[in-house]
Amino acid sequence: MKIIRQIDPLRDALKELRQQKSSLGLVPTMGALHAGHMRLVETARAQCDAVIVSIFVNPTQFGEGEDLDSYPRQEAADAALLEAAGVDLIWAPTVDQVYPHGFATNISVSGVSTGLCGGSRPGHFDGVATVVAKLFNQVRPDAAFFGEKDYQQLAVIRRMARDLDFTHDIIGVPTVRDADGVALSSRNAYLTPEQRGQAVALPNTMRDAADAIVKGDDIAAILAEAEGKLLASGFHKVDYFELRNAETLENMTVFEKPARLLAAAHIGSTRLIDNIAVA
């Protein structure tokens, strides 16, 4: 397995891979890999002949006061996991390889980026869309794999790929959870043991709210009650707890399929996000 940090060696390595393999899968990550990332790799291995994993902590998707400097970085451990999983190549570019001097281009995806994390993290999805477009052009995969845990991100990337005529498949992979239901996230490492125990309130509250919505209870009342439950369970701030159309991410006041509950809430210094289908 190769670890490559510069564009020209990447192009040479990809050319060599393409001569040996008929399809390339890309798994974009910011490192600090956990079982959720490895499920993406596993899915890519099942669907593609070769797998490239990118590791790049993208500065443009972090806002002022967010955790860019403290975001966990553990490349050696990540590389060991990926080599054991049969990954062919790690693309771990330096910042100047992604954003060379004078870089002045920004990709903004309207509609699906409105509200939710796009509302509480201004500019976040511009940074995501721009770096993912760069990765697509650098690697030119046949398929790219993203976790459904970052559901709005997945919607933004799918919209961008359609609008900019990227022809490869965008594959969403279901969220991987711990035994207690908490979605796996690199940011879970920030939680104290007490906070980690309290975090289970997020998936539990989402499941209860989804059940009530399907039964036909008042949606506004359900969402308000859910926020109250989170605040009573150890979370100190709820950015959003909303029902959206699962495809367009438009707000829903009347339940119709396909629907998705999406939430983001703060516990201690950590912001957790989650989502589930409502069916």
Side-chain angles (χ1 to χ4, degrees):
M1 183 187 70
K2 297 180 179 179
I3 300 176
I4 298 177
R5 305 184 192 280
Q6 305 290 320
I7 290 287
D8 287 341
L10 174 69
R11 290 171 178 158
D12 292 341
L14 290 173
K15 182 178 179 180
E16 183 179 341
L17 267 180
R18 287 230 174 255
Q19 292 172 345
Q20 303 167 0
K21 311 282 187 176
S22 60
S23 62
L24 302 184
L26 171 65
V27 179
T29 83
M30 293 205 302
L33 304 183
H34 51 65
H37 296 107
M38 301 314 294
R39 181 68 55 83
L40 300 180
V41 171
E42 176 186 331
T43 305
R45 288 287 299 161
Q47 297 188 25
C48 301
D49 297 311
V51 176
I52 297 95
V53 173
S54 64
I55 298 177
F56 180 67
V57 181
N58 176 37
T60 67
Q61 69 189 68
F62 288 79
E64 184 177 353
E66 293 188 338
D67 58 344
L68 173 60
D69 291 337
S70 62
Y71 192 86
R73 293 162 171 85
Q74 50 187 52
E75 185 181 290
D78 291 343
L81 284 172
L82 296 174
E83 184 166 25
V87 167
D88 297 87
L89 186 156
I90 295 174
W91 171 226
T94 56
V95 172
D96 68 291
Q97 291 295 293
V98 179
Y99 302 115
H101 179 71
F103 187 87
T105 300
N106 182 65
I107 296 176
S108 181
V109 182
S110 61
V112 291
S113 66
T114 301
L116 303 172
C117 285
S120 57
R121 303 180 70 189
H124 170 70
F125 286 118
D126 289 3
V128 169
T130 302
V131 77
V132 170
K134 293 273 293 185
L135 292 170
F136 287 172
N137 280 326
Q138 291 164 349
V139 176
R140 299 187 182 276
D142 297 288
F145 299 80
F146 297 87
E148 289 185 352
K149 185 183 80 70
D150 296 294
Y151 197 82
Q152 188 177 19
Q153 172 179 281
L154 177 59
V156 166
I157 291 165
R158 283 174 166 158
R159 181 75 265 170
M160 179 200 70
R162 287 194 294 268
D163 290 352
L164 299 185
D165 298 322
F166 288 107
T167 58
H168 60 270
D169 294 329
I170 307 295
I171 309 297
V173 179
T175 302
V176 178
R177 299 180 181 275
D178 274 333
D180 61 2
V182 174
L184 297 187
S185 169
S186 300
R187 288 184 170 92
N188 289 358
Y190 300 158
L191 299 173
T192 66
E194 180 183 9
Q195 291 165 350
R196 178 59 185 79
Q198 294 167 328
V200 73
L202 183 57
N204 288 348
T205 300
M206 296 192 80
R207 285 195 299 270
D208 290 344
D211 290 343
I213 290 169
V214 172
K215 290 176 183 176
D217 295 347
D218 180 75
I219 291 174
I222 293 167
L223 301 181
E225 181 182 2
E227 288 197 23
K229 285 181 179 179
L230 290 178
L231 294 172
S233 300
F235 288 85
H236 65 269
K237 179 184 177 184
V238 178
D239 284 344
Y240 59 82
F241 198 108
E242 297 185 17
L243 181 68
R244 297 279 183 124
N245 180 285
E247 295 176 355
T248 66
L249 291 190
E250 293 177 347
N251 247 315
M252 301 182 75
T253 57
V254 176
F255 172 54
E256 295 178 352
K257 297 178 182 180
R260 203 94 184 177
L261 269 176
L262 301 103
H266 298 254
I267 185 167
S269 62
T270 307
R271 182 179 186 272
L272 299 182
I273 65 171
D274 204 347
N275 68 89
I276 61 171
V278 183

Tab-separated table of all heavy atoms in Angstrom, residues 95-115:
chain	number	residue	atom	x	y	z
A	95	VAL	N	-1.651	20.602	2.507
A	95	VAL	CA	-2.633	21.658	2.234
A	95	VAL	C	-2.312	22.376	0.926
A	95	VAL	O	-3.214	22.704	0.138
A	95	VAL	CB	-2.693	22.650	3.415
A	95	VAL	CG1	-3.569	23.856	3.068
A	95	VAL	CG2	-3.226	21.967	4.669
A	96	ASP	N	-1.035	22.604	0.639
A	96	ASP	CA	-0.679	23.339	-0.579
A	96	ASP	C	-0.978	22.548	-1.843
A	96	ASP	O	-1.125	23.128	-2.926
A	96	ASP	CB	0.806	23.740	-0.549
A	96	ASP	CG	1.729	22.536	-0.642
A	96	ASP	OD1	1.772	21.747	0.325
A	96	ASP	OD2	2.410	22.377	-1.665
A	97	GLN	N	-1.104	21.225	-1.739
A	97	GLN	CA	-1.476	20.425	-2.902
A	97	GLN	C	-2.967	20.547	-3.219
A	97	GLN	O	-3.383	20.408	-4.364
A	97	GLN	CB	-1.121	18.954	-2.670
A	97	GLN	CG	0.350	18.665	-2.633
A	97	GLN	CD	1.038	18.922	-3.961
A	97	GLN	OE1	0.797	18.224	-4.940
A	97	GLN	NE2	1.883	19.949	-4.012
A	98	VAL	N	-3.769	20.796	-2.201
A	98	VAL	CA	-5.209	20.965	-2.401
A	98	VAL	C	-5.548	22.425	-2.672
A	98	VAL	O	-6.379	22.740	-3.544
A	98	VAL	CB	-5.983	20.443	-1.169
A	98	VAL	CG1	-7.492	20.636	-1.362
A	98	VAL	CG2	-5.667	18.967	-0.925
A	99	TYR	N	-4.904	23.330	-1.936
A	99	TYR	CA	-5.159	24.761	-2.077
A	99	TYR	C	-3.838	25.477	-2.363
A	99	TYR	O	-3.218	26.046	-1.461
A	99	TYR	CB	-5.794	25.323	-0.804
A	99	TYR	CG	-7.094	24.641	-0.418
A	99	TYR	CD1	-7.192	23.898	0.760
A	99	TYR	CD2	-8.227	24.732	-1.234
A	99	TYR	CE1	-8.385	23.278	1.113
A	99	TYR	CE2	-9.416	24.109	-0.887
A	99	TYR	CZ	-9.489	23.383	0.293
A	99	TYR	OH	-10.662	22.766	0.630
A	100	PRO	N	-3.378	25.429	-3.609
A	100	PRO	CA	-2.103	26.081	-3.938
A	100	PRO	C	-2.202	27.597	-3.764
A	100	PRO	O	-3.297	28.168	-3.683
A	100	PRO	CB	-1.887	25.699	-5.401
A	100	PRO	CG	-3.240	25.355	-5.922
A	100	PRO	CD	-3.997	24.778	-4.770
A	101	HIS	N	-1.054	28.227	-3.713
A	101	HIS	CA	-0.995	29.680	-3.513
A	101	HIS	C	-1.889	30.392	-4.525
A	101	HIS	O	-1.844	30.117	-5.723
A	101	HIS	CB	0.446	30.162	-3.663
A	101	HIS	CG	0.587	31.648	-3.504
A	101	HIS	ND1	0.444	32.276	-2.289
A	101	HIS	CD2	0.838	32.624	-4.423
A	101	HIS	CE1	0.607	33.580	-2.452
A	101	HIS	NE2	0.851	33.816	-3.726
A	102	GLY	N	-2.726	31.291	-4.022
A	102	GLY	CA	-3.622	32.038	-4.896
A	102	GLY	C	-4.938	31.351	-5.171
A	102	GLY	O	-5.757	31.876	-5.941
A	103	PHE	N	-5.191	30.197	-4.557
A	103	PHE	CA	-6.444	29.470	-4.799
A	103	PHE	C	-7.630	30.392	-4.527
A	103	PHE	O	-7.728	31.001	-3.460
A	103	PHE	CB	-6.507	28.239	-3.893
A	103	PHE	CG	-7.671	27.338	-4.190
A	103	PHE	CD1	-7.576	26.354	-5.156
A	103	PHE	CD2	-8.868	27.470	-3.513
A	103	PHE	CE1	-8.643	25.523	-5.438
A	103	PHE	CE2	-9.943	26.653	-3.781
A	103	PHE	CZ	-9.831	25.671	-4.747
A	104	ALA	N	-8.553	30.504	-5.499
A	104	ALA	CA	-9.614	31.508	-5.399
A	104	ALA	C	-10.985	30.983	-5.800
A	104	ALA	O	-11.908	31.769	-6.010
A	104	ALA	CB	-9.255	32.719	-6.263
A	105	THR	N	-11.148	29.663	-5.888
A	105	THR	CA	-12.399	29.075	-6.370
A	105	THR	C	-13.201	28.498	-5.222
A	105	THR	O	-12.644	27.851	-4.332
A	105	THR	CB	-12.109	27.975	-7.410
A	105	THR	OG1	-11.409	28.560	-8.516
A	105	THR	CG2	-13.383	27.335	-7.904
A	106	ASN	N	-14.505	28.720	-5.251
A	106	ASN	CA	-15.379	28.205	-4.201
A	106	ASN	C	-16.615	27.603	-4.853
A	106	ASN	O	-17.207	28.194	-5.760
A	106	ASN	CB	-15.795	29.329	-3.252
A	106	ASN	CG	-16.661	28.842	-2.113
A	106	ASN	OD1	-16.216	28.075	-1.272
A	106	ASN	ND2	-17.913	29.286	-2.079
A	107	ILE	N	-17.020	26.415	-4.401
A	107	ILE	CA	-18.234	25.763	-4.902
A	107	ILE	C	-19.306	25.881	-3.829
A	107	ILE	O	-19.110	25.461	-2.689
A	107	ILE	CB	-17.976	24.294	-5.259
A	107	ILE	CG1	-16.968	24.204	-6.403
A	107	ILE	CG2	-19.277	23.599	-5.636
A	107	ILE	CD1	-16.575	22.795	-6.764
A	108	SER	N	-20.435	26.455	-4.198
A	108	SER	CA	-21.552	26.622	-3.277
A	108	SER	C	-22.766	25.900	-3.841
A	108	SER	O	-23.142	26.120	-4.994
A	108	SER	CB	-21.859	28.110	-3.087
A	108	SER	OG	-22.918	28.299	-2.174
A	109	VAL	N	-23.356	25.029	-3.047
A	109	VAL	CA	-24.505	24.226	-3.474
A	109	VAL	C	-25.729	24.716	-2.708
A	109	VAL	O	-25.843	24.485	-1.504
A	109	VAL	CB	-24.267	22.729	-3.219
A	109	VAL	CG1	-25.456	21.902	-3.717
A	109	VAL	CG2	-22.972	22.266	-3.891
A	110	SER	N	-26.626	25.389	-3.387
A	110	SER	CA	-27.799	25.941	-2.704
A	110	SER	C	-28.866	24.863	-2.530
A	110	SER	O	-28.731	23.742	-3.000
A	110	SER	CB	-28.359	27.128	-3.488
A	110	SER	OG	-28.766	26.733	-4.783
A	111	GLY	N	-29.934	25.209	-1.843
A	111	GLY	CA	-31.036	24.261	-1.657
A	111	GLY	C	-30.760	23.278	-0.552
A	111	GLY	O	-31.096	23.530	0.611
A	112	VAL	N	-30.115	22.177	-0.876
A	112	VAL	CA	-29.891	21.118	0.115
A	112	VAL	C	-28.931	21.547	1.219
A	112	VAL	O	-28.876	20.919	2.275
A	112	VAL	CB	-29.375	19.815	-0.545
A	112	VAL	CG1	-30.450	19.173	-1.391
A	112	VAL	CG2	-28.117	20.084	-1.367
A	113	SER	N	-28.180	22.629	1.008
A	113	SER	CA	-27.259	23.101	2.042
A	113	SER	C	-27.916	24.095	2.994
A	113	SER	O	-27.280	24.548	3.957
A	113	SER	CB	-26.031	23.760	1.396
A	113	SER	OG	-26.399	24.940	0.704
A	114	THR	N	-29.187	24.419	2.756
A	114	THR	CA	-29.870	25.427	3.555
A	114	THR	C	-30.350	24.835	4.882
A	114	THR	O	-30.928	23.750	4.918
A	114	THR	CB	-31.078	25.992	2.788
A	114	THR	OG1	-30.611	26.562	1.561
A	114	THR	CG2	-31.791	27.059	3.601
A	115	GLY	N	-30.119	25.566	5.969
A	115	GLY	CA	-30.563	25.112	7.280
A	115	GLY	C	-29.755	23.937	7.775
A	115	GLY	O	-28.699	23.598	7.253
